Structures are given as structure tokens and as C-alpha cells.
Amino acid sequence: MSEFRQLPAVSKVLEHSALVELRSRFSSGVMTNAVRAELEAVRSRLKSGQAGADLDAVAAAVVRKLHDTEAPILRTVLNATGIVLHTNLGRSPMAEIAARAAYEAARGYLNLELDLGSGKRSSRQDPIRAGVTDLTGAEAATVVNNCAAATVIVLRALAAGKEVIVSRGQLIEIGGNFRIPDIMATSGAILREVGTTNITRLIDYEGAIGPNTGLLMCIHTSNFRVRGFTESVGIEALAALGKKHGIPVVDDAGSGAAFDLSVHGLPDEPPIAHGIAAGADLVLFSGDKLLGGPQAGIVAGKAELIARIERDPLMRAFRCDKMTLAALEATLRLHRNADRVCETIPTLAMLTMPLATLRSRIETFAERLKAVPGIRLLEVRDDVSYVGGGSLPDIAVPTVVLALTANCHTEEQFATRLRSGMPAVMARVHAGQLLFDLRTILDRQLDDLFGAIAVALREDSL
Ligand SMILES: *Cc1c(COP(=O)(O)O)cnc(C)c1O
């Protein structure tokens, strides 16, 4: 025990001149916590037989810790992975006009729930309704925090205590522990699985319909595919079946492609308007996947069903904030000019960027890099990129990458240096090399990426 007495008291460290200087920048609570944490660390070093620390050393360590924790944890990442909808990196980068709408909403007041004409209260859903109904062809629309929340509230409002018929082939886990059977249980609806993993036919649904059936549901299997001997029921046939029995049909479209992406050589994600046109009563999709907007869960469909959903008490818990709504309204406005969305919505511009453009951008970038010291290998080559890490991992598009290795660092060290830079850079590590895909780098970020790579290539420690 005796050696622990060498530890200075918390109050002594706080009175050290190095910490007194910091009193104008940190509250006493923050400084006290930092001192306690450092003393705790010294104590456990002593316990394991290592050297202790005197007052000056403890104070210096606390000052370092306080400085280190001053930079925000959330910071800009230059996404050189080529994965356009990267959930860990915040999914869709928004259009400048949408980002600015969120910024203006954040820094002041706005008519969030106020009709400026009459001066009366309005619904925060009003600004997004027309944009969504235009896009989907639905009668009405509402929005909640994300598509997971949309699924919960739809199931709860329309089918609590009732059976919801879903194909076994569609009982997916979307990621982040979002599993359809669990969501069903949480909402109070009763899951009624039909068919098998690979085959579900219309008669399977029809045979399961009974007096307690609340909904028929079709879930887009965004993140996996069943290949080979398979059969599933399209939304048209399911909608017709629902109509025949007077049961609402819900289409969880998930990724929410605003238009048919196959015209750009991308695999056919069913456009969101397809569900309503095919007769679905409700369609659900995310705001931050292929729509290219903020995180949101959009519900479009029959006015009577939307009204029931909006009356559910969970609506208050799931409602979007002012920044999201402002950004979503702006994004939906961009979608009104469908011919230009591949220029105006960054997510769609990245996804549809022609191979020739990718090649010329990367060749210009590689040419510039050649002059930077510390490079062992630099090569431009063909590869594939994926639309979405977790959201649409199955959709691969041809791309061009820059393969790089450093003189003084292994690929793991190089990747770590890039990640800990300011701005941080995420590249792909593959077969001993770092691969950079400029598809997901905006033009205005090219200089920053160049600078970050040059710094990471240096021999010194960061
Ligand atoms: C992504 C996805 C969801 C979840 O959407 P979030 O907006 O991430 O909550 C739900 N259903 C499907 C089919 C999806 O692809």
C-alpha cells in the first residue's frame, strides 16, 4: 500500500499551474474528472509494478488528455471506398441546397408547425406530403425517423393483435439488429410466415388468410438474394389478393429508388412508384438511401391508412426534427425535376457516374500524386464498387481504382494513418494494397484527399 501514497491528491493536481491556465477553457467538473481518470491510470500502473508519476508528470498527462479530447469525435471523412450508401459513414451525402436548408433550420426559427397564411397551427408533415405523393403516385404521405420506425408504426397502427402474412423468404435482418420477426413482435402484430426460404406462391398467402389477418406484407430483400430454384409473389399479385379479401397490402421498398436505375446499367431496383401503381395500399422507404436525402422513413399510400398511422401515439415518439424535415423537403423538390436528379442529387450522381469520367478523374489524380514522396506502387486499374455496404451489398458496379502502397508503412499502418488524419480518409485495404475509388469523393474534396494522402505517406509519426 505504501507506494500508493506517492500519488498526489486530486486537489493538488488541480492547483498545478499547468491546469490553472486551462480554467478558462474547461469547467471544474471536466478538469476534476480528467485528473481522477489519470490518477486511476497511474494507480493501476503502480499495481502492475510499473513506475509511478510525480505531480508534474500527472499534470502534464492531464493537459494532454484535455487537449486530445477537444477535437470533436464526429468529423469529416473522405469516403474513398466507392461504397455510395455506407451506413457507417452516414449514408447519403445531401445536395448542397438540402444541407443548407438543414443548416438554416438549425440556426433559427421556422414555420415548422405553423401556417403562415392563417397564422394557425399546421402539421409538420405538410411540407413533405406533395413531394412524396408526386414521387410515388400515392394519395397521401407521412414521415418518421427512419424506415425501421416506419415499419414499426405501420404494423402497430394497422395490425396490433392481428396477423401479418409475410413470405419466409423475406424475413430479413437489415443490420443494426433490425430483424423483421423482432420488429413484428415489438409492434404487437403477429407474424404469420408462409412458404419456404426459396419458394412462396400466391396460394400460400391465400391459404393463411383468416378472420384475424390484419395485413399482407411484401419486404424488399435489399441486402441478399436467393438464387436458383426460387419463386416469389410480386406486389401486383399480392395487391390483387389483398383487394379480393379486403386486407391492406404493405410494400416495404427499403432503398427507395426514385426511378429505374437499370437505364444506367445498374441492376433493377424497383422504383418506389411501382408499389403504388401495382396496387399496394402503402409503400415504405428510407430517406437516406437511393432518395439521396436525410435519414427518414417515408410512408406513402391511402389517405385513410395514413390518417390512422398519424393518430398512433408512437407518431409523437418517431417524429422527425426540423433539420431533417427542411432537408427532406429540399431533396423532394429536387426530385420534381426527374430529368436532372442524376446531376442534382449527389448519391445519384455518384451511382451513375460514367466509367469514362471515373477513369479520367482518377488518372488526373494519379498524375498529381506521382510527384509525392513515399510511394512504392501507384497503379490505376479496373475494379467493382458496391452501391451500399449493408443496404444494397448485392449491387456491384464497374469502377476504376487507384492502388497505392507506401514506402515506409504496411498497408494497415497506411490505412490507420489515413483514418486518423484531419480530414479522415477511408480507403479499401485489399491484397496488401490500399485502393481508392473516387466515385464517392466529391470534386470539392479532391484537394483535401490529395493533402491527406501526402501526409499519411510521410515517414514521421503523425
Ligand atoms: C434499409 C431498409 C430498412 C431500414 O431502413 P432505415 O431507414 O435504415 O431504418 C427497412 N426495410 C428495408 C427493405 C430496407 O432496405
Side-chain angles (χ1 to χ4, degrees), residues 153-164 187-190 214-215 308:
I153 198 167
V154 163
L155 290 170
R156 201 179 106 112
L158 308 182
K162 293 189 183 163
E163 287 188 350
V164 177
S187 71
I190 302 154
L215 287 177
R308 270 166 68 189

Side-chain angles (χ1 to χ4, degrees), residues 296-447:
I298 299 161
V299 187
K302 293 266 160 63
E304 184 256 324
L305 299 179
I306 297 291
R308 270 166 68 189
I309 293 162
E310 289 189 350
R311 281 199 299 271
D312 192 282
L314 272 189
M315 197 66 196
R316 174 63 179 77
F318 288 176
R319 75 183 186 190
C320 296
D321 70 289
K322 60 180 181 172
M323 293 173 286
T324 299
L325 288 164
L328 185 58
E329 187 197 352
T331 305
L332 289 165
R333 275 180 197 288
L334 293 174
H335 277 282
R336 299 206 314 182
N337 191 347
D339 295 338
R340 287 202 57 219
V341 286
C342 290
E343 299 157 54
T344 56
I345 307 265
T347 297
L348 294 172
M350 288 172 177
L351 281 172
T352 60
M353 194 177 287
L355 209 51
T357 309
L358 283 166
R359 198 180 302 281
S360 79
R361 282 176 98 215
I362 213 152
E363 275 168 0
T364 310
F365 193 76
E367 204 51 48
R368 248 180 105 186
L369 264 185
K370 274 183 188 156
V372 175
I375 295 174
R376 190 203 308 275
L377 170 136
L378 183 153
E379 193 180 287
V380 171
R381 77 163 93 103
D382 293 342
D383 201 1
V384 285
S385 49
Y386 290 87
V387 172
S391 29
L392 297 163
D394 198 53
I395 302 187
V397 283
T399 197
V400 189
V401 295
L402 174 71
L404 214 56
T405 63
N407 270 335
C408 303
H409 315 293
T410 66
E411 74 276 14
E412 288 298 343
Q413 287 167 338
F414 190 18
T416 305
R417 289 169 68 88
L418 284 165
R419 279 200 314 277
S420 43
M422 286 274 204
V425 176
M426 279 290 288
R428 264 158 55 205
V429 179
H430 178 75
Q433 301 177 340
L434 245 62
L435 305 183
F436 297 81
D437 188 338
L438 299 191
R439 180 191 294 280
T440 39
I441 298 291
L442 300 161
D443 280 336
R444 66 175 165 81
Q445 296 177 326
L446 284 167
D447 284 344

Side-chain angles (χ1 to χ4, degrees), residues 125-410:
Q125 303 291 347
D126 291 342
I128 60 93
R129 294 193 207 272
V132 177
T133 53
D134 280 353
L135 197 63
T136 55
E139 261 172 38
T142 196
V143 59
V144 290
N145 260 323
N146 50 39
C147 198
T151 312
V152 172
I153 198 167
V154 163
L155 290 170
R156 201 179 106 112
L158 308 182
K162 293 189 183 163
E163 287 188 350
V164 177
I165 306 178
V166 185
S167 160
R168 285 206 167 84
Q170 298 176 351
L171 294 177
I172 54 172
E173 168 167 334
I174 286 148
N177 269 331
F178 181 87
R179 292 177 156 189
I180 295 293
D182 299 343
I183 289 299
M184 213 56 94
T186 303
S187 71
I190 302 154
L191 173 62
R192 179 72 192 267
E193 312 171 27
V194 294
T196 60
T197 306
N198 56 327
I199 307 271
T200 303
R201 302 195 176 92
L202 198 61
I203 55 164
D204 296 322
Y205 289 95
E206 189 147 32
I209 292 177
N212 199 31
T213 306
L215 287 177
L216 303 181
M217 194 163 181
C218 177
I219 301 157
H220 187 52
T221 56
S222 333
N223 56 0
F224 84 111
R225 295 282 185 273
V226 179
R227 274 173 257 261
F229 181 51
T230 68
E231 219 175 296
S232 60
V233 177
I235 190 73
E236 289 88 352
L238 206 58
L241 183 67
K243 222 146 259 138
K244 185 169 139 197
H245 293 271
I247 300 165
V249 174
V250 177
D251 179 23
D252 178 358
S255 47
F259 61 95
D260 184 1
L261 290 165
S262 64
V263 296
H264 293 275
L266 293 160
D268 55 330
E269 274 296 299
I272 37 187
H274 176 77
I276 297 294
D281 297 283
L282 285 179
V283 53
L284 326 179
F285 56 98
S286 295
D288 57 355
K289 291 183 181 170
L290 295 171
L291 192 73
Q295 180 189 302
I298 299 161
V299 187
K302 293 266 160 63
E304 184 256 324
L305 299 179
I306 297 291
R308 270 166 68 189
I309 293 162
E310 289 189 350
R311 281 199 299 271
D312 192 282
L314 272 189
M315 197 66 196
R316 174 63 179 77
F318 288 176
R319 75 183 186 190
C320 296
D321 70 289
K322 60 180 181 172
M323 293 173 286
T324 299
L325 288 164
L328 185 58
E329 187 197 352
T331 305
L332 289 165
R333 275 180 197 288
L334 293 174
H335 277 282
R336 299 206 314 182
N337 191 347
D339 295 338
R340 287 202 57 219
V341 286
C342 290
E343 299 157 54
T344 56
I345 307 265
T347 297
L348 294 172
M350 288 172 177
L351 281 172
T352 60
M353 194 177 287
L355 209 51
T357 309
L358 283 166
R359 198 180 302 281
S360 79
R361 282 176 98 215
I362 213 152
E363 275 168 0
T364 310
F365 193 76
E367 204 51 48
R368 248 180 105 186
L369 264 185
K370 274 183 188 156
V372 175
I375 295 174
R376 190 203 308 275
L377 170 136
L378 183 153
E379 193 180 287
V380 171
R381 77 163 93 103
D382 293 342
D383 201 1
V384 285
S385 49
Y386 290 87
V387 172
S391 29
L392 297 163
D394 198 53
I395 302 187
V397 283
T399 197
V400 189
V401 295
L402 174 71
L404 214 56
T405 63
N407 270 335
C408 303
H409 315 293
T410 66

